[in-house]
Amino acid sequence: MSAVVNAPWIARQAADLLAQRGHAWLLQGPSGLGQYELALALASAWLCEKPSAQGACGDCPSCHAIAVHTHADLAVLMPETVMLELGWPLSEKAQDEIDKKARKPSKEIRVDAMREAVEFSQRTDARGRGKAVLVFPAERMNTITANALLKTLEEPPGDVRFVLATEASHLLLPTIRSRCLAHTMKWPQDDEALTWLAGQGVPADVAQALLRSAGGRPTDVLRQAEAGLSPDWWADLPKAMRQGDARYLADLSPAQAIDALQKLCHDLLLQQAGAVPRFFNAADLPASAASVRVLTDWFKRLMTSARTAEHPFNAGLMLEALTADAQQTLMSKG
Ligand SMILES: [Zn+2]
C-alpha cells in the first residue's frame, strides 16, 4: 500500500470513520490535508478482503488492484487532468480523443464519466465486497454531473458506497452536502508532517521551509516540492513581485500564483498589525508602506481572480496582470 495512506494523521481519521456507519462520506477542508488520500484509504478498506478496524490490509488481491489503479469495483470520478496527474487510467474513449488531439483533458468531472459511474453503481460487484465510488475534487462537478450523482445518492443501489472529497465544499450543491455525512479534515502535527515528507523523499530543510509557506499542509508541500518550488524561490518571491517580474511566476498555474500572492498579502497584513508573519520569514518581506485598506482591497481582487483562475482565457496574461497588481500594491505609499 502506498505510504500516503499510512500517514499517521490520515490513518487516525480513517479508523475513526470506519468505526461509524455511513454509505456516503463528504471529506472537506482546505487543500493539502490529504482528502484524496483519506478517500482512497476508506474505499480501500471497504473493498479489502481482510480489513481491520484500522483499515485495508494492503496485501490482498483487492488492495493490490487498488494499488495499481485497476479495481473492477472502484469507480474513480475526477477531472481528466487530475486522473492523469494521479496516475489513474482514463476510459478508452477519452484517452483516444486526447491522443488524437480531438480535445484537451477536461478540468471538470465530465458528464460522460458520471454516466459511466451511475451505470457502474447499478451493476453487480465483481469481487463480492460491494462497490465504491470516489469523487475528487467534488467541487469540479458542474450542475448536470452533480444532479446525476444526486439521483444515485438519493436511491443508492444496495451495495455501493460513496466518498466525496472536496477542497471547497461551499461550491457543492446543498442537496449533495445534505445527502452525505460530513467529515472535516484534521490538521497533522508539524513533526508528523515532517516525518511523512521525509518518507516521500523531501529533504528535511526543504520540508521545514515549505511547510511554513504551505501553512502546515503537507500534501501541498509535496506538490510544491515536486513542482520544484524551492525555499529560496519562496524567500525571493516578495522581492520579485516588488520588481514587477512576471517571469518569476512562469512555472505556476494561475491558481498557484494567486495562492502564493494571497499568502504574501496575508503576511503583509499581519506585519501591519505588528504580528509575526505566518508563511514568510519576516526578513524576506518587503518594507511596504501599503495601508491595511490597500492590502485588503488587493486581497479582495485576488479572491475575485481565484474564481476565474481555473479557466483563464490566457494564463500568461493573467500572470502578468497579477504581477502588475502585486507591484502596484507593494509600492503603494499609503
Ligand atoms: Zn486488503
Side-chain angles (χ1 to χ4, degrees), residues 251-274:
D251 291 338
L252 271 58
S253 69
Q256 288 170 324
I258 290 166
D259 181 64
L261 294 173
Q262 283 180 324
K263 285 172 176 161
L264 175 56
C265 184
H266 178 271
D267 272 7
L268 289 169
L269 279 163
L270 283 179
Q271 197 180 42
Q272 278 279 1

Side-chain angles (χ1 to χ4, degrees), residues 80-95:
E80 289 164 350
T81 49
V82 178
M83 306 264 301
L84 294 169
E85 194 181 308
L86 296 174
W88 288 90
L90 303 180
S91 77
E92 229 168 276
K93 181 166 172 275
Q95 188 67 56

Side-chain angles (χ1 to χ4, degrees), residues 44 48-51 56-60 62-63:
S44 304
C48 175
E49 292 170 17
K50 288 173 288 177
C57 73
D59 213 28
C60 69
S62 170
C63 287

